[in-house]
Amino acid sequence: MSTSTGSSASTREFASARSVDRRVNLEVDLAPGAKRELILRNPIMTASGTSSNGLELARLFDVNRLGALLSKGVTLQPRRGNPTPRIVETPAGMLNSIGFQNVGVRKLLRDAATVWETWSVPVVVNMLGDTVDEFAHLAQILDGAPGVAAVEVNISCPNLDVGGVAFGRDPIAAGRVIEAVSTATTLPVIAKLTPDVTDISVVARACEDAGADALCVANSFVGMSIDVHTRRPRTNRPVAGLTGPAIKPLALRLVWESARAVSIPVIGCGGISDGRDAVEFLLAGATAVQVGTASFRDPYASVRVLEELLDYCREHGVADINELIGAVQTD
Ligand SMILES: Cc1cc2nc3c(=O)[nH]c(=O)nc-3n(C[C@H](O)[C@H](O)[C@H](O)COP(=O)(O)O)c2cc1C
């Protein structure tokens, strides 16, 4: 739902459930001016790959309370991913090297889309191709799929030999992917950026110019861990993606810089574990936030962050969440 301006039934349903609390307006618009709208009843989303396709979370709580759900990243064909070990704990975070294990877009849609269609929460599909054409083909397939509200274009995966972060490090390549995807679909397009760049504002602007409706800032940082006994890396590949509280201040800075560089909405992602973290990202300029690694420790983390955000708004007399966006005072 909330994917098409033309559907009166879904618009009515959305209107009746648009805010978890009538005293605080939590609704945010993630794609103003897009061909199809992406209005979230609140700014709390899950982060791709950290809670599969939402079906597992739906067994624990009412996922319709969230602003949006992200699917695990999907490719045209199924992938087995990297060999183990794929996950390593670090003092304030986690290293992962999953390598994009997924069932392929057609099976994903067969298994999950009919369920997504019954939910009122918008589902955003995270997708990845090896080539610009593959990204465009995926976008075409997802365009007419039931229950898909938007696409998040992964030009930032650090755990692959081909594609992935290579697109996101180069503003020209990033722009080509986003342009191809925007042409191939009427769905709102979110470009998911890599933090592994010298100046994120350059890639952010390239994606905006190429037609992105929003940015997600950011994917995992590139990190490493070595077993001193075996003298070998502790993940299957020498480097892996670092996520969790360790990256929060780094991601926050990137969100702040990105939000100043573009006029499209920015989604904050990186180490968000509680309501105060979410508020920090909103103040830095994020319109919405994604909760990822925190849900490994606490599968209810996303709804907890939502409740804590609401508590903050009540305590600080915030009547409309949009008041917080970019409201950090730096002078
Ligand atoms: C196990 C795991 C799998 C992930 N898979 C994906 C993925 O498929 N696509 C993607 O864009 N990001 C993926 N990510 C990155 C997260 O969506 C998020 O950008 C990152 O974890 C930072 O947020 P966090 O610190 O809140 O976890 C994955 C992260 C983890 C930990």
Side-chain angles (χ1 to χ4, degrees):
M1 67 125 341
S2 79
T3 58
S4 155
T5 44
S7 162
S8 58
S10 65
T11 309
R12 270 200 305 277
E13 187 190 355
F14 185 75
S16 68
R18 58 208 253 170
S19 170
V20 295
D21 187 295
R22 298 205 179 280
R23 286 163 297 174
V24 182
N25 176 43
L26 294 173
E27 188 176 285
V28 293
D29 187 348
L30 265 194
K35 290 178 213 143
R36 290 159 76 173
E37 68 182 16
L38 186 59
I39 294 173
L40 312 193
R41 69 192 52 160
N42 65 66
I44 307 301
M45 312 168 75
T46 55
S48 176
T50 58
S51 48
S52 194
N53 300 320
L55 306 185
E56 297 78 0
L57 290 186
R59 286 193 229 126
L60 300 176
F61 59 84
D62 178 9
V63 288
N64 296 313
R65 293 176 63 194
L66 295 175
L69 283 172
L70 266 289
S71 74
K72 165 69 188 161
V74 74
T75 48
L76 275 176
Q77 304 303 333
R79 291 194 185 180
R80 298 166 64 96
N82 293 335
T84 56
R86 295 168 159 192
I87 299 267
V88 167
E89 264 191 68
T90 65
M94 196 172 94
L95 281 167
N96 91 81
S97 176
I98 307 297
F100 240 77
Q101 179 183 354
N102 78 94
V103 296
V105 67
R106 289 183 182 82
K107 181 159 168 51
L108 170 74
L109 292 176
R110 271 201 311 276
D111 292 351
T114 48
V115 181
W116 293 342
E117 209 182 4
T118 65
W119 293 345
S120 60
V121 61
V123 176
V124 180
V125 173
N126 180 280
M127 55 170 233
L128 175 136
D130 288 346
T131 62
V132 173
D133 285 348
E134 272 188 27
F135 274 106
H137 191 182
L138 274 162
Q140 253 166 6
I141 294 171
L142 292 166
D143 190 54
V148 178
V151 290
E152 186 177 74
V153 187
N154 186 342
I155 46 173
S156 43
C157 181
N159 303 319
L160 301 169
D161 290 323
V162 181
V165 74
F167 285 112
R169 283 193 185 123
D170 174 359
I172 295 172
R176 281 201 190 113
V177 172
I178 298 303
E179 191 177 358
V181 169
S182 305
T183 309
T185 183
T186 57
L187 292 167
V189 174
I190 302 166
K192 184 159 179 183
L193 305 190
T194 173
D196 197 29
V197 287
T198 311
D199 182 356
I200 200 156
S201 64
V202 176
V203 185
R205 273 194 291 266
C207 291
E208 180 180 40
D209 292 346
D213 297 298
L215 306 176
C216 175
V217 179
N219 211 317
S220 34
F221 283 71
V222 185
M224 188 173 187
S225 176
I226 297 173
D227 182 330
V228 295
H229 302 294
T230 62
R231 301 188 179 186
R232 298 187 59 77
R234 290 167 74 216
T235 45
N236 57 62
R237 292 159 59 93
V239 298
L242 181 65
T243 63
I247 68 169
K248 198 198 91 184
L250 304 167
L252 189 65
R253 168 220 162 195
L254 294 175
V255 164
W256 182 65
E257 288 180 354
S258 303
R260 285 151 59 98
V262 297
S263 53
I264 53 177
V266 173
I267 302 164
C269 179
I272 295 168
S273 311
D274 61 28
R276 273 181 305 183
D277 293 340
V279 173
E280 277 190 73
F281 276 79
L282 295 171
L283 290 171
T287 298
V289 296
Q290 297 185 350
V291 179
T293 301
S295 57
F296 283 73
R297 280 180 65 186
D298 170 14
Y300 298 89
S302 48
V303 274
R304 182 176 43 74
V305 171
L306 171 60
E307 279 158 14
E308 290 168 359
L309 175 64
L310 196 50
D311 287 346
Y312 172 91
C313 290
R314 289 189 187 121
E315 278 163 26
H316 291 79
V318 176
D320 183 342
I321 199 78
N322 292 278
E323 289 168 28
L324 294 180
I325 299 170
V328 63
Q329 290 175 13
T330 52
D331 43 50

